[in-house]
């Protein structure tokens, strides 16, 4: 009896110490039932009539697939801001050396127009740095921005601002922000900006280059013009219930500042953490992240509809978790889903477009074509 007790105590301790991967293991292939606390309204938007494209807002749901959107549409009882999209296409996500990509190579494809190797950010297969859409936009004197909810040295933002053959060289990747010349940078990861092993303080370096460096919302909200490096957390931003609608607020603030440039702007916005909950097979948290992203899409589409000269493109770098809905109830806003992997899966991902030029995004194409299309439409 005593021996059994000791074993049970050990088991409880071991369970408490389970890392995310093992949590996923314990959830994998098991049905999870999810609803949300409160559904939200979706405004039906009129598509802008003009043809001129002055600005492009490129939005990425990390690890987002049609299954994620259909799940979110169901828990919100049949409404989703993304359904206002005027055109839809499919993007093939495989990378240079693997069928199933990661965010490094997946994002490098649409940021630079090149398929590269797994785990590389902003370089070709030989490690040569590649210019990204933000570099081309800078060269055309457009304003540029990057808004994410993960640490800034994470793969997707790094694909647009940094160049490294190894996305995990976190300190090296973060240091590239001091030379990327992007006007508005928002995300987490202050650990890699200050108290660094090499003694550099990237905040001080950026301030010398004229950047304002707010570390909380009130300070960012007060900024009326100029360059911004806003880093709000040590690592990734908190979960949606704790961080609130900061993705939406920081994205609209970016639009506010970048749209002061009469030549136009290019802005990348990422819902970064869907991927994390795909990896940990946590359907409840995944839905909270997808909904946070869709609410941000709603605000961006609304702004674009009024502005009339802004193209918004929404896509993903790959799918994460192999999510499948096996049951649900639209009236109750309930889904029953399960995951088949704690890794990325191989599937084409959706591309949604809204605003002038949206029609260019219908069809089936390589993820690199997103770069080609945007570069051409902005005449860069
Ligand atoms: Zn990813």
């Amino acid at each position: 009896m005593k021996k059994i007790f000791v074993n049970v105590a050990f088991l409880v301790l071991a369970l408490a110490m389970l890392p995310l991967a093992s949590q996923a293991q314990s959830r994998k292939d098991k049905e999870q039932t999810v609803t949300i606390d409160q559904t939200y309204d979706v405004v039906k938007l009129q598509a802008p009539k003009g043809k001129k494209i002055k600005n492009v807002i490129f939005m990425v749901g990390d690890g987002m697939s049609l299954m994620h959107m259909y799940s979110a549409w169901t828990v919100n009882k049949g409404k989703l801001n993304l359904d206002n999209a005027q055109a839809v296409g499919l993007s093939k996500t495989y990378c240079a050396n693997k069928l199933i990509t990661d965010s490094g190579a997946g994002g490098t494809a649409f940021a630079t127009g090149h398929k590269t190797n797994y785990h590389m950010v902003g370089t070709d297969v030989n490690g040569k740095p590649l210019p990204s859409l933000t570099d081309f936009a800078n060269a055309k004197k457009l304003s540029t921005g990057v808004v994410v909810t993960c640490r800034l040295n994470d793969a997707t933002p790094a694909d647009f601002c940094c160049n490294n053959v190894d996305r995990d060289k976190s300190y090296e990747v973060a240091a590239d922000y001091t030379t990327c010349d992007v006007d508005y940078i928002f995300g987490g990861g202050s650990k890699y900006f200050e108290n660094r092993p090499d003694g550099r303080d990237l905040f001080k370096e950026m301030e010398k280059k004229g950047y304002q460096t707010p570390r909380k919302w009130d300070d960012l909200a007060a900024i009326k013009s100029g360059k911004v490096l806003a880093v709000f957390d040590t690592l990734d931003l908190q979960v949606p219930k704790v961080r609130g609608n900061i993705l939406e607020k920081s994205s609209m603030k970016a639009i506010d500042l970048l749209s002061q440039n009469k030549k136009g702007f290019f802005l990348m916005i990422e819902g970064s953490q869907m991927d994390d909950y795909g990896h940990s097979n946590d359907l409840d948290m995944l839905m909270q992240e997808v909904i946070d992203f869709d609410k941000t899409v709603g605000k961006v589409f609304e702004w674009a509809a009024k502005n009339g000269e802004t193209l918004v493109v929404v896509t993903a770098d790959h799918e994460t978790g192999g999510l499948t809905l096996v049951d649900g109830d639209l009236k109750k806003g309930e889904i029953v889903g399960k995951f088949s992997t704690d890794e990325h899966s191989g599937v084409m991902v959706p591309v949604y477009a809204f605003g002038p030029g949206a029609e260019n995004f219908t069809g089936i194409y390589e993820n690199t074509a997103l770069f080609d299309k945007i570069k051409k439409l902005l005449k860069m």
Side-chain angles (χ1 to χ4, degrees):
M1 192 68 196
K2 192 174 169 201
K3 195 175 163 208
I4 290 169
F5 176 76
V6 169
N7 283 345
V8 168
F10 178 76
L11 193 69
V12 170
L13 186 71
L15 275 171
M17 290 165 70
L18 273 180
L20 280 180
S22 322
Q23 283 179 23
Q25 205 62 45
S26 67
R27 294 187 189 114
K28 202 176 117 188
D29 294 323
K30 296 210 176 84
E31 288 186 3
Q32 300 174 40
T33 303
V34 167
T35 54
I36 49 173
D37 299 340
Q38 217 173 3
T39 59
Y40 57 97
D41 282 332
V42 167
V43 183
K44 187 96 191 87
L45 295 173
Q46 290 294 326
K49 293 223 164 54
K51 287 230 169 342
K52 190 182 166 210
I53 305 169
K54 184 173 157 191
N55 317 304
V56 170
I57 303 175
F58 186 72
M59 302 183 71
V60 180
D62 198 316
M64 178 186 91
S65 74
L66 280 178
M67 197 57 85
H68 296 68
M69 304 333 293
Y70 197 67
S71 301
W73 175 83
T74 307
V75 293
N76 198 39
K77 299 185 178 171
K79 287 172 290 184
L80 212 53
N81 286 303
L82 263 173
D83 289 353
N84 273 311
Q86 293 164 258
V88 177
L90 291 170
S91 157
K92 293 176 188 167
T93 62
Y94 68 94
C95 69
N97 62 342
K98 269 178 176 274
L99 178 68
I100 296 170
T101 191
D102 77 318
S103 304
T108 297
F110 48 57
T112 72
H114 291 260
K115 297 241 185 204
T116 193
N117 288 343
Y118 199 78
H119 257 235
M120 293 183 168
V121 287
T123 74
D124 71 8
V125 291
N126 300 309
K128 197 181 104 205
L130 295 165
S132 76
L133 286 169
T134 56
D135 296 312
F136 285 102
N138 282 337
K140 253 211 103 185
K141 302 271 182 283
L142 305 183
S143 288
T144 50
V146 162
V147 175
V148 298
T149 62
C150 57
R151 60 199 80 180
L152 282 159
N153 53 290
D154 207 337
T156 313
D159 290 323
F160 285 85
C161 305
C162 314
N163 315 93
N164 206 300
V165 291
D166 181 3
R167 57 181 280 184
D168 293 334
K169 292 260 167 22
S170 307
Y171 289 99
E172 285 178 19
V173 171
D176 283 356
Y177 282 97
T178 61
T179 51
C180 73
D181 211 27
V182 169
D183 300 291
Y184 182 99
I185 303 163
F186 176 94
S190 62
K191 176 180 194 289
Y192 302 100
F193 284 74
E194 60 192 350
N195 304 315
R196 293 162 50 98
D198 62 5
R200 288 176 68 180
D201 185 323
L202 306 186
F203 290 120
K204 292 218 175 83
E205 290 182 32
M206 298 289 272
E207 282 160 12
K208 278 204 190 106
K209 286 174 185 277
Y211 280 81
Q212 302 156 90
T213 56
R215 303 291 287 275
K216 57 181 200 300
W217 171 248
D218 289 348
D219 296 337
L220 173 56
I223 291 173
K224 296 281 181 279
S225 63
K227 292 192 170 215
V228 172
L229 167 68
V231 185
F232 277 26
D233 270 279
T234 323
L235 296 168
D236 301 327
L237 266 58
Q238 303 292 313
V239 298
K241 275 185 181 155
V242 178
R243 70 174 191 251
N245 62 342
I246 192 71
L247 179 64
E248 179 186 310
K249 288 195 290 186
S250 56
S251 298
M252 296 319 289
K253 187 70 188 179
I255 290 171
D256 225 29
L257 296 175
L258 301 179
S259 62
Q260 292 171 13
N261 184 345
K262 293 210 164 56
K263 291 198 166 86
F265 67 86
F266 173 80
L267 169 64
M268 192 283 283
I269 299 169
E270 184 191 40
S272 312
Q273 298 184 57
M274 295 172 209
D275 177 64
D276 299 336
Y277 299 111
H279 281 296
S280 61
N281 288 182
D282 186 334
L283 188 55
D284 181 23
M285 287 305 301
L286 176 62
M287 281 303 104
Q288 291 182 39
E289 286 290 348
V290 176
I291 279 160
D292 180 59
F293 183 66
D294 183 63
K295 285 179 174 171
T296 306
V297 167
K299 283 284 179 283
V300 170
F301 276 11
E302 262 181 68
W303 183 86
K306 278 200 205 97
N307 172 269
E309 298 181 331
T310 302
L311 165 67
V312 188
V313 179
V314 188
T315 190
D317 47 358
H318 55 78
E319 195 275 350
T320 309
L323 176 62
T324 306
L325 280 196
V326 293
D327 203 354
D329 187 323
L330 192 55
K331 277 208 185 83
K332 281 201 275 181
E334 184 182 274
I335 50 169
V336 184
K338 36 184 194 176
F339 296 90
S340 62
T341 175
D342 59 3
E343 287 296 336
H344 302 165
S345 74
V347 66
M348 290 193 282
V349 293
V351 181
Y352 302 85
F354 180 83
E359 67 279 5
N360 292 284
F361 292 83
T362 56
I364 301 169
Y365 40 82
E366 301 290 338
N367 50 4
T368 49
L370 290 160
F371 167 90
D372 300 328
K373 290 173 196 288
I374 292 168
K375 186 166 171 284
K376 194 173 156 199
L377 291 170
L378 277 176
K379 301 187 179 74
M380 302 195 295

